[in-house]
Amino acid sequence: GLIIARRIESRFLCFYLNRALSYLSLATGKLIDAHTLNCAASQYALPSSCLEQGLLALGSGQLAMAEQRLADGIVHFAAAVEQFQTGKLAIEEAQSHLFMAMALYKAGDESDARNHLCQAFAPSQNMKAHSLCMATAVVELMPVLEHFKLDFLVGHSVTKFLGQLRDLESKLPHVRRRLRKSVMEISPIKPKVVIQAFGRVHLTINDVEFTSPDWNSPTQREIIFYLLH
């Protein structure tokens, strides 16, 4: 996937594929690969994109925590909070507050950890969206969530959040069954593609000619004919 993304010069795909692969490498304990892929993603991130810069900072923070570099993790999570706040990305901001709370709790700063939990579970935040987005990070966040479950300030919100996570986990087998059934029942629509590679390059999709202006770059056209060989 990354090779094709580079060949067709898709900055968007290169950024998000590298970030996704970095996360998967981190989840499987391949920290060197995770670092390499996160650095690669940084080369494609738009400096003006609060979302992409925030995701990079969040990923860097998770890597730092996996390597027990608490101070670095806190710095990265703070940068993620700032980027998401600037971009008015409420769900992502809430996630970064949760990770910040986890890092501060591990560093022994319960007061600031509580403050970040309060911001993560502010009344304006969508709790259901929280639980859906954070389901993959439950193992990392569980210690701080369990610790503050009975807290007088955030205990109610944390307990509600944990309940939603358990509800989501209980529904996953049913969701998987429905998805498998849908895949079996829905026949994919196959477009009619005709490629003429000898002489004049000619490509039609569903009897409509794909002309030069339709290509984003000459490299895209080249990769199509490269794959034919």
Side-chain angles (χ1 to χ4, degrees), residues 23-60:
Y23 176 80
L24 289 174
S25 296
L26 177 61
T28 53
K30 300 174 182 176
L31 297 183
I32 295 177
D33 289 344
H35 271 292
T36 301
L37 290 161
N38 197 52
C39 288
S42 68
Q43 297 174 14
Y44 296 100
L46 287 175
S48 59
S49 172
C50 292
L51 175 60
E52 293 180 8
Q53 293 299 324
L55 290 174
L56 277 177
L58 196 62
S60 297

PDB file of all heavy atoms in Angstrom, residues 23-60:
ATOM      1  N   TYR A  23       1.097   2.801  14.436  1.00  0.00           N
ATOM      2  CA  TYR A  23       0.249   2.403  15.570  1.00  0.00           C
ATOM      3  C   TYR A  23       0.213   0.880  15.705  1.00  0.00           C
ATOM      4  O   TYR A  23       0.315   0.343  16.816  1.00  0.00           O
ATOM      5  CB  TYR A  23      -1.163   2.953  15.375  1.00  0.00           C
ATOM      6  CG  TYR A  23      -2.107   2.497  16.460  1.00  0.00           C
ATOM      7  CD1 TYR A  23      -2.117   3.128  17.698  1.00  0.00           C
ATOM      8  CD2 TYR A  23      -2.970   1.429  16.258  1.00  0.00           C
ATOM      9  CE1 TYR A  23      -2.952   2.702  18.709  1.00  0.00           C
ATOM     10  CE2 TYR A  23      -3.812   0.991  17.258  1.00  0.00           C
ATOM     11  CZ  TYR A  23      -3.802   1.627  18.480  1.00  0.00           C
ATOM     12  OH  TYR A  23      -4.629   1.196  19.479  1.00  0.00           O
ATOM     13  N   LEU A  24       0.081   0.167  14.577  1.00  0.00           N
ATOM     14  CA  LEU A  24       0.037  -1.292  14.618  1.00  0.00           C
ATOM     15  C   LEU A  24       1.366  -1.862  15.104  1.00  0.00           C
ATOM     16  O   LEU A  24       1.392  -2.838  15.867  1.00  0.00           O
ATOM     17  CB  LEU A  24      -0.287  -1.842  13.223  1.00  0.00           C
ATOM     18  CG  LEU A  24      -1.724  -1.617  12.731  1.00  0.00           C
ATOM     19  CD1 LEU A  24      -1.865  -2.067  11.285  1.00  0.00           C
ATOM     20  CD2 LEU A  24      -2.721  -2.357  13.613  1.00  0.00           C
ATOM     21  N   SER A  25       2.475  -1.253  14.684  1.00  0.00           N
ATOM     22  CA  SER A  25       3.793  -1.705  15.140  1.00  0.00           C
ATOM     23  C   SER A  25       3.937  -1.495  16.642  1.00  0.00           C
ATOM     24  O   SER A  25       4.463  -2.360  17.363  1.00  0.00           O
ATOM     25  CB  SER A  25       4.903  -0.955  14.399  1.00  0.00           C
ATOM     26  OG  SER A  25       4.880  -1.257  13.018  1.00  0.00           O
ATOM     27  N   LEU A  26       3.456  -0.358  17.128  1.00  0.00           N
ATOM     28  CA  LEU A  26       3.504  -0.080  18.569  1.00  0.00           C
ATOM     29  C   LEU A  26       2.658  -1.090  19.335  1.00  0.00           C
ATOM     30  O   LEU A  26       3.081  -1.603  20.381  1.00  0.00           O
ATOM     31  CB  LEU A  26       3.000   1.342  18.833  1.00  0.00           C
ATOM     32  CG  LEU A  26       2.909   1.775  20.304  1.00  0.00           C
ATOM     33  CD1 LEU A  26       4.275   1.743  20.960  1.00  0.00           C
ATOM     34  CD2 LEU A  26       2.299   3.167  20.404  1.00  0.00           C
ATOM     35  N   ALA A  27       1.481  -1.403  18.802  1.00  0.00           N
ATOM     36  CA  ALA A  27       0.574  -2.334  19.478  1.00  0.00           C
ATOM     37  C   ALA A  27       1.150  -3.737  19.560  1.00  0.00           C
ATOM     38  O   ALA A  27       0.813  -4.501  20.473  1.00  0.00           O
ATOM     39  CB  ALA A  27      -0.771  -2.364  18.748  1.00  0.00           C
ATOM     40  N   THR A  28       2.024  -4.086  18.624  1.00  0.00           N
ATOM     41  CA  THR A  28       2.634  -5.423  18.617  1.00  0.00           C
ATOM     42  C   THR A  28       4.046  -5.417  19.199  1.00  0.00           C
ATOM     43  O   THR A  28       4.771  -6.400  19.086  1.00  0.00           O
ATOM     44  CB  THR A  28       2.668  -5.996  17.186  1.00  0.00           C
ATOM     45  OG1 THR A  28       3.301  -5.057  16.299  1.00  0.00           O
ATOM     46  CG2 THR A  28       1.258  -6.264  16.688  1.00  0.00           C
ATOM     47  N   GLY A  29       4.444  -4.288  19.808  1.00  0.00           N
ATOM     48  CA  GLY A  29       5.730  -4.221  20.490  1.00  0.00           C
ATOM     49  C   GLY A  29       6.931  -3.990  19.603  1.00  0.00           C
ATOM     50  O   GLY A  29       8.072  -4.102  20.058  1.00  0.00           O
ATOM     51  N   LYS A  30       6.710  -3.639  18.332  1.00  0.00           N
ATOM     52  CA  LYS A  30       7.829  -3.386  17.412  1.00  0.00           C
ATOM     53  C   LYS A  30       8.159  -1.892  17.452  1.00  0.00           C
ATOM     54  O   LYS A  30       7.790  -1.127  16.551  1.00  0.00           O
ATOM     55  CB  LYS A  30       7.457  -3.835  16.003  1.00  0.00           C
ATOM     56  CG  LYS A  30       7.130  -5.323  15.909  1.00  0.00           C
ATOM     57  CD  LYS A  30       6.632  -5.695  14.515  1.00  0.00           C
ATOM     58  CE  LYS A  30       6.265  -7.163  14.441  1.00  0.00           C
ATOM     59  NZ  LYS A  30       5.697  -7.529  13.115  1.00  0.00           N
ATOM     60  N   LEU A  31       8.864  -1.486  18.494  1.00  0.00           N
ATOM     61  CA  LEU A  31       9.069  -0.061  18.746  1.00  0.00           C
ATOM     62  C   LEU A  31       9.960   0.610  17.703  1.00  0.00           C
ATOM     63  O   LEU A  31       9.724   1.766  17.343  1.00  0.00           O
ATOM     64  CB  LEU A  31       9.669   0.141  20.140  1.00  0.00           C
ATOM     65  CG  LEU A  31       8.788  -0.319  21.316  1.00  0.00           C
ATOM     66  CD1 LEU A  31       9.468   0.004  22.645  1.00  0.00           C
ATOM     67  CD2 LEU A  31       7.415   0.327  21.251  1.00  0.00           C
ATOM     68  N   ILE A  32      10.981  -0.099  17.217  1.00  0.00           N
ATOM     69  CA  ILE A  32      11.858   0.493  16.201  1.00  0.00           C
ATOM     70  C   ILE A  32      11.070   0.784  14.927  1.00  0.00           C
ATOM     71  O   ILE A  32      11.178   1.872  14.337  1.00  0.00           O
ATOM     72  CB  ILE A  32      13.054  -0.434  15.902  1.00  0.00           C
ATOM     73  CG1 ILE A  32      13.940  -0.557  17.151  1.00  0.00           C
ATOM     74  CG2 ILE A  32      13.863   0.102  14.721  1.00  0.00           C
ATOM     75  CD1 ILE A  32      15.105  -1.514  16.982  1.00  0.00           C
ATOM     76  N   ASP A  33      10.253  -0.183  14.514  1.00  0.00           N
ATOM     77  CA  ASP A  33       9.416   0.022  13.325  1.00  0.00           C
ATOM     78  C   ASP A  33       8.426   1.161  13.556  1.00  0.00           C
ATOM     79  O   ASP A  33       8.173   1.970  12.656  1.00  0.00           O
ATOM     80  CB  ASP A  33       8.651  -1.256  12.983  1.00  0.00           C
ATOM     81  CG  ASP A  33       9.561  -2.352  12.440  1.00  0.00           C
ATOM     82  OD1 ASP A  33      10.697  -2.028  12.047  1.00  0.00           O
ATOM     83  OD2 ASP A  33       9.133  -3.520  12.421  1.00  0.00           O
ATOM     84  N   ALA A  34       7.869   1.214  14.762  1.00  0.00           N
ATOM     85  CA  ALA A  34       6.902   2.271  15.081  1.00  0.00           C
ATOM     86  C   ALA A  34       7.545   3.644  14.970  1.00  0.00           C
ATOM     87  O   ALA A  34       6.950   4.587  14.429  1.00  0.00           O
ATOM     88  CB  ALA A  34       6.329   2.053  16.486  1.00  0.00           C
ATOM     89  N   HIS A  35       8.783   3.777  15.475  1.00  0.00           N
ATOM     90  CA  HIS A  35       9.509   5.045  15.372  1.00  0.00           C
ATOM     91  C   HIS A  35       9.764   5.409  13.912  1.00  0.00           C
ATOM     92  O   HIS A  35       9.538   6.552  13.491  1.00  0.00           O
ATOM     93  CB  HIS A  35      10.860   4.942  16.097  1.00  0.00           C
ATOM     94  CG  HIS A  35      10.796   5.321  17.541  1.00  0.00           C
ATOM     95  ND1 HIS A  35      10.548   6.610  17.961  1.00  0.00           N
ATOM     96  CD2 HIS A  35      10.931   4.574  18.662  1.00  0.00           C
ATOM     97  CE1 HIS A  35      10.554   6.640  19.287  1.00  0.00           C
ATOM     98  NE2 HIS A  35      10.781   5.420  19.732  1.00  0.00           N
ATOM     99  N   THR A  36      10.249   4.448  13.147  1.00  0.00           N
ATOM    100  CA  THR A  36      10.572   4.690  11.740  1.00  0.00           C
ATOM    101  C   THR A  36       9.346   5.154  10.967  1.00  0.00           C
ATOM    102  O   THR A  36       9.406   6.115  10.187  1.00  0.00           O
ATOM    103  CB  THR A  36      11.137   3.410  11.094  1.00  0.00           C
ATOM    104  OG1 THR A  36      12.311   3.000  11.808  1.00  0.00           O
ATOM    105  CG2 THR A  36      11.494   3.654   9.632  1.00  0.00           C
ATOM    106  N   LEU A  37       8.227   4.488  11.177  1.00  0.00           N
ATOM    107  CA  LEU A  37       6.994   4.824  10.459  1.00  0.00           C
ATOM    108  C   LEU A  37       6.422   6.161  10.916  1.00  0.00           C
ATOM    109  O   LEU A  37       5.883   6.921  10.106  1.00  0.00           O
ATOM    110  CB  LEU A  37       5.971   3.703  10.654  1.00  0.00           C
ATOM    111  CG  LEU A  37       6.316   2.392   9.942  1.00  0.00           C
ATOM    112  CD1 LEU A  37       5.547   1.221  10.546  1.00  0.00           C
ATOM    113  CD2 LEU A  37       6.022   2.508   8.447  1.00  0.00           C
ATOM    114  N   ASN A  38       6.545   6.467  12.212  1.00  0.00           N
ATOM    115  CA  ASN A  38       6.053   7.749  12.703  1.00  0.00           C
ATOM    116  C   ASN A  38       6.880   8.899  12.122  1.00  0.00           C
ATOM    117  O   ASN A  38       6.344   9.950  11.764  1.00  0.00           O
ATOM    118  CB  ASN A  38       6.092   7.793  14.232  1.00  0.00           C
ATOM    119  CG  ASN A  38       5.228   8.900  14.808  1.00  0.00           C
ATOM    120  OD1 ASN A  38       4.050   9.016  14.488  1.00  0.00           O
ATOM    121  ND2 ASN A  38       5.805   9.721  15.662  1.00  0.00           N
ATOM    122  N   CYS A  39       8.199   8.687  12.032  1.00  0.00           N
ATOM    123  CA  CYS A  39       9.072   9.699  11.412  1.00  0.00           C
ATOM    124  C   CYS A  39       8.728   9.870   9.933  1.00  0.00           C
ATOM    125  O   CYS A  39       8.734  10.986   9.412  1.00  0.00           O
ATOM    126  CB  CYS A  39      10.530   9.293  11.564  1.00  0.00           C
ATOM    127  SG  CYS A  39      11.172   9.456  13.238  1.00  0.00           S
ATOM    128  N   ALA A  40       8.434   8.756   9.265  1.00  0.00           N
ATOM    129  CA  ALA A  40       8.053   8.828   7.857  1.00  0.00           C
ATOM    130  C   ALA A  40       6.754   9.619   7.697  1.00  0.00           C
ATOM    131  O   ALA A  40       6.616  10.434   6.777  1.00  0.00           O
ATOM    132  CB  ALA A  40       7.890   7.424   7.281  1.00  0.00           C
ATOM    133  N   ALA A  41       5.807   9.387   8.604  1.00  0.00           N
ATOM    134  CA  ALA A  41       4.538  10.125   8.546  1.00  0.00           C
ATOM    135  C   ALA A  41       4.767  11.619   8.713  1.00  0.00           C
ATOM    136  O   ALA A  41       4.100  12.439   8.064  1.00  0.00           O
ATOM    137  CB  ALA A  41       3.587   9.611   9.623  1.00  0.00           C
ATOM    138  N   SER A  42       5.728  11.993   9.564  1.00  0.00           N
ATOM    139  CA  SER A  42       5.993  13.411   9.818  1.00  0.00           C
ATOM    140  C   SER A  42       6.459  14.143   8.565  1.00  0.00           C
ATOM    141  O   SER A  42       6.259  15.345   8.425  1.00  0.00           O
ATOM    142  CB  SER A  42       7.026  13.571  10.928  1.00  0.00           C
ATOM    143  OG  SER A  42       8.301  13.121  10.498  1.00  0.00           O
ATOM    144  N   GLN A  43       7.063  13.405   7.635  1.00  0.00           N
ATOM    145  CA  GLN A  43       7.547  14.025   6.400  1.00  0.00           C
ATOM    146  C   GLN A  43       6.393  14.398   5.463  1.00  0.00           C
ATOM    147  O   GLN A  43       6.567  15.227   4.569  1.00  0.00           O
ATOM    148  CB  GLN A  43       8.505  13.072   5.680  1.00  0.00           C
ATOM    149  CG  GLN A  43       9.762  12.765   6.477  1.00  0.00           C
ATOM    150  CD  GLN A  43      10.622  11.705   5.805  1.00  0.00           C
ATOM    151  OE1 GLN A  43      10.418  11.382   4.646  1.00  0.00           O
ATOM    152  NE2 GLN A  43      11.576  11.165   6.553  1.00  0.00           N
ATOM    153  N   TYR A  44       5.242  13.757   5.666  1.00  0.00           N
ATOM    154  CA  TYR A  44       4.098  14.012   4.798  1.00  0.00           C
ATOM    155  C   TYR A  44       3.011  14.859   5.468  1.00  0.00           C
ATOM    156  O   TYR A  44       2.032  15.225   4.829  1.00  0.00           O
ATOM    157  CB  TYR A  44       3.474  12.682   4.344  1.00  0.00           C
ATOM    158  CG  TYR A  44       4.397  11.844   3.500  1.00  0.00           C
ATOM    159  CD1 TYR A  44       5.096  10.770   4.057  1.00  0.00           C
ATOM    160  CD2 TYR A  44       4.592  12.120   2.153  1.00  0.00           C
ATOM    161  CE1 TYR A  44       5.961  10.000   3.290  1.00  0.00           C
ATOM    162  CE2 TYR A  44       5.448  11.352   1.379  1.00  0.00           C
ATOM    163  CZ  TYR A  44       6.122  10.293   1.947  1.00  0.00           C
ATOM    164  OH  TYR A  44       6.982   9.530   1.182  1.00  0.00           O
ATOM    165  N   ALA A  45       3.171  15.159   6.759  1.00  0.00           N
ATOM    166  CA  ALA A  45       2.150  15.918   7.482  1.00  0.00           C
ATOM    167  C   ALA A  45       2.156  17.385   7.061  1.00  0.00           C
ATOM    168  O   ALA A  45       3.220  17.991   6.916  1.00  0.00           O
ATOM    169  CB  ALA A  45       2.380  15.805   8.985  1.00  0.00           C
ATOM    170  N   LEU A  46       0.985  17.935   6.876  1.00  0.00           N
ATOM    171  CA  LEU A  46       0.874  19.349   6.541  1.00  0.00           C
ATOM    172  C   LEU A  46       1.150  20.195   7.793  1.00  0.00           C
ATOM    173  O   LEU A  46       0.499  19.997   8.819  1.00  0.00           O
ATOM    174  CB  LEU A  46      -0.528  19.671   6.019  1.00  0.00           C
ATOM    175  CG  LEU A  46      -0.881  19.174   4.618  1.00  0.00           C
ATOM    176  CD1 LEU A  46      -2.352  19.472   4.326  1.00  0.00           C
ATOM    177  CD2 LEU A  46       0.007  19.819   3.567  1.00  0.00           C
ATOM    178  N   PRO A  47       2.085  21.136   7.728  1.00  0.00           N
ATOM    179  CA  PRO A  47       2.360  21.990   8.889  1.00  0.00           C
ATOM    180  C   PRO A  47       1.127  22.769   9.347  1.00  0.00           C
ATOM    181  O   PRO A  47       1.002  23.098  10.528  1.00  0.00           O
ATOM    182  CB  PRO A  47       3.455  22.941   8.378  1.00  0.00           C
ATOM    183  CG  PRO A  47       4.091  22.210   7.243  1.00  0.00           C
ATOM    184  CD  PRO A  47       2.984  21.427   6.594  1.00  0.00           C
ATOM    185  N   SER A  48       0.227  23.053   8.421  1.00  0.00           N
ATOM    186  CA  SER A  48      -0.954  23.851   8.742  1.00  0.00           C
ATOM    187  C   SER A  48      -2.132  23.012   9.232  1.00  0.00           C
ATOM    188  O   SER A  48      -3.164  23.558   9.613  1.00  0.00           O
ATOM    189  CB  SER A  48      -1.396  24.645   7.502  1.00  0.00           C
ATOM    190  OG  SER A  48      -1.698  23.762   6.430  1.00  0.00           O
ATOM    191  N   SER A  49      -1.993  21.680   9.226  1.00  0.00           N
ATOM    192  CA  SER A  49      -3.097  20.806   9.630  1.00  0.00           C
ATOM    193  C   SER A  49      -3.016  20.489  11.114  1.00  0.00           C
ATOM    194  O   SER A  49      -2.139  19.753  11.561  1.00  0.00           O
ATOM    195  CB  SER A  49      -3.068  19.508   8.815  1.00  0.00           C
ATOM    196  OG  SER A  49      -4.009  18.586   9.332  1.00  0.00           O
ATOM    197  N   CYS A  50      -3.948  21.029  11.872  1.00  0.00           N
ATOM    198  CA  CYS A  50      -3.987  20.748  13.316  1.00  0.00           C
ATOM    199  C   CYS A  50      -4.257  19.269  13.573  1.00  0.00           C
ATOM    200  O   CYS A  50      -3.740  18.694  14.534  1.00  0.00           O
ATOM    201  CB  CYS A  50      -5.061  21.594  13.989  1.00  0.00           C
ATOM    202  SG  CYS A  50      -4.688  23.368  14.015  1.00  0.00           S
ATOM    203  N   LEU A  51      -5.069  18.646  12.710  1.00  0.00           N
ATOM    204  CA  LEU A  51      -5.372  17.227  12.881  1.00  0.00           C
ATOM    205  C   LEU A  51      -4.112  16.382  12.701  1.00  0.00           C
ATOM    206  O   LEU A  51      -3.784  15.550  13.555  1.00  0.00           O
ATOM    207  CB  LEU A  51      -6.440  16.790  11.880  1.00  0.00           C
ATOM    208  CG  LEU A  51      -6.766  15.285  11.874  1.00  0.00           C
ATOM    209  CD1 LEU A  51      -7.274  14.832  13.235  1.00  0.00           C
ATOM    210  CD2 LEU A  51      -7.771  14.952  10.779  1.00  0.00           C
ATOM    211  N   GLU A  52      -3.392  16.595  11.609  1.00  0.00           N
ATOM    212  CA  GLU A  52      -2.222  15.770  11.328  1.00  0.00           C
ATOM    213  C   GLU A  52      -1.091  16.029  12.316  1.00  0.00           C
ATOM    214  O   GLU A  52      -0.433  15.093  12.780  1.00  0.00           O
ATOM    215  CB  GLU A  52      -1.770  15.996   9.884  1.00  0.00           C
ATOM    216  CG  GLU A  52      -2.799  15.481   8.874  1.00  0.00           C
ATOM    217  CD  GLU A  52      -2.381  15.684   7.434  1.00  0.00           C
ATOM    218  OE1 GLU A  52      -1.230  16.092   7.180  1.00  0.00           O
ATOM    219  OE2 GLU A  52      -3.224  15.438   6.545  1.00  0.00           O
ATOM    220  N   GLN A  53      -0.860  17.294  12.667  1.00  0.00           N
ATOM    221  CA  GLN A  53       0.172  17.602  13.655  1.00  0.00           C
ATOM    222  C   GLN A  53      -0.208  17.046  15.029  1.00  0.00           C
ATOM    223  O   GLN A  53       0.644  16.572  15.788  1.00  0.00           O
ATOM    224  CB  GLN A  53       0.396  19.114  13.734  1.00  0.00           C
ATOM    225  CG  GLN A  53       1.008  19.720  12.479  1.00  0.00           C
ATOM    226  CD  GLN A  53       2.380  19.160  12.151  1.00  0.00           C
ATOM    227  OE1 GLN A  53       3.177  18.871  13.042  1.00  0.00           O
ATOM    228  NE2 GLN A  53       2.668  19.002  10.865  1.00  0.00           N
ATOM    229  N   GLY A  54      -1.496  17.105  15.341  1.00  0.00           N
ATOM    230  CA  GLY A  54      -1.958  16.549  16.612  1.00  0.00           C
ATOM    231  C   GLY A  54      -1.814  15.044  16.666  1.00  0.00           C
ATOM    232  O   GLY A  54      -1.407  14.477  17.683  1.00  0.00           O
ATOM    233  N   LEU A  55      -2.134  14.360  15.564  1.00  0.00           N
ATOM    234  CA  LEU A  55      -1.995  12.904  15.508  1.00  0.00           C
ATOM    235  C   LEU A  55      -0.529  12.489  15.632  1.00  0.00           C
ATOM    236  O   LEU A  55      -0.216  11.490  16.291  1.00  0.00           O
ATOM    237  CB  LEU A  55      -2.582  12.369  14.201  1.00  0.00           C
ATOM    238  CG  LEU A  55      -4.110  12.438  14.076  1.00  0.00           C
ATOM    239  CD1 LEU A  55      -4.550  12.007  12.683  1.00  0.00           C
ATOM    240  CD2 LEU A  55      -4.783  11.572  15.134  1.00  0.00           C
ATOM    241  N   LEU A  56       0.359  13.256  15.016  1.00  0.00           N
ATOM    242  CA  LEU A  56       1.790  12.977  15.151  1.00  0.00           C
ATOM    243  C   LEU A  56       2.242  13.109  16.602  1.00  0.00           C
ATOM    244  O   LEU A  56       2.971  12.261  17.128  1.00  0.00           O
ATOM    245  CB  LEU A  56       2.601  13.931  14.275  1.00  0.00           C
ATOM    246  CG  LEU A  56       2.768  13.585  12.800  1.00  0.00           C
ATOM    247  CD1 LEU A  56       3.541  14.699  12.101  1.00  0.00           C
ATOM    248  CD2 LEU A  56       3.481  12.252  12.620  1.00  0.00           C
ATOM    249  N   ALA A  57       1.805  14.182  17.250  1.00  0.00           N
ATOM    250  CA  ALA A  57       2.184  14.404  18.653  1.00  0.00           C
ATOM    251  C   ALA A  57       1.615  13.299  19.547  1.00  0.00           C
ATOM    252  O   ALA A  57       2.294  12.800  20.451  1.00  0.00           O
ATOM    253  CB  ALA A  57       1.688  15.770  19.119  1.00  0.00           C
ATOM    254  N   LEU A  58       0.374  12.906  19.281  1.00  0.00           N
ATOM    255  CA  LEU A  58      -0.259  11.839  20.064  1.00  0.00           C
ATOM    256  C   LEU A  58       0.506  10.530  19.892  1.00  0.00           C
ATOM    257  O   LEU A  58       0.781   9.813  20.867  1.00  0.00           O
ATOM    258  CB  LEU A  58      -1.708  11.673  19.622  1.00  0.00           C
ATOM    259  CG  LEU A  58      -2.636  10.891  20.560  1.00  0.00           C
ATOM    260  CD1 LEU A  58      -2.751  11.584  21.904  1.00  0.00           C
ATOM    261  CD2 LEU A  58      -4.014  10.745  19.917  1.00  0.00           C
ATOM    262  N   GLY A  59       0.876  10.216  18.639  1.00  0.00           N
ATOM    263  CA  GLY A  59       1.644   8.998  18.385  1.00  0.00           C
ATOM    264  C   GLY A  59       3.009   9.024  19.049  1.00  0.00           C
ATOM    265  O   GLY A  59       3.469   8.020  19.607  1.00  0.00           O
ATOM    266  N   SER A  60       3.660  10.181  19.003  1.00  0.00           N
ATOM    267  CA  SER A  60       4.971  10.321  19.640  1.00  0.00           C
ATOM    268  C   SER A  60       4.856  10.158  21.151  1.00  0.00           C
ATOM    269  O   SER A  60       5.735   9.572  21.797  1.00  0.00           O
ATOM    270  CB  SER A  60       5.579  11.687  19.308  1.00  0.00           C
ATOM    271  OG  SER A  60       5.810  11.816  17.915  1.00  0.00           O
TER     272      SER A  60
END
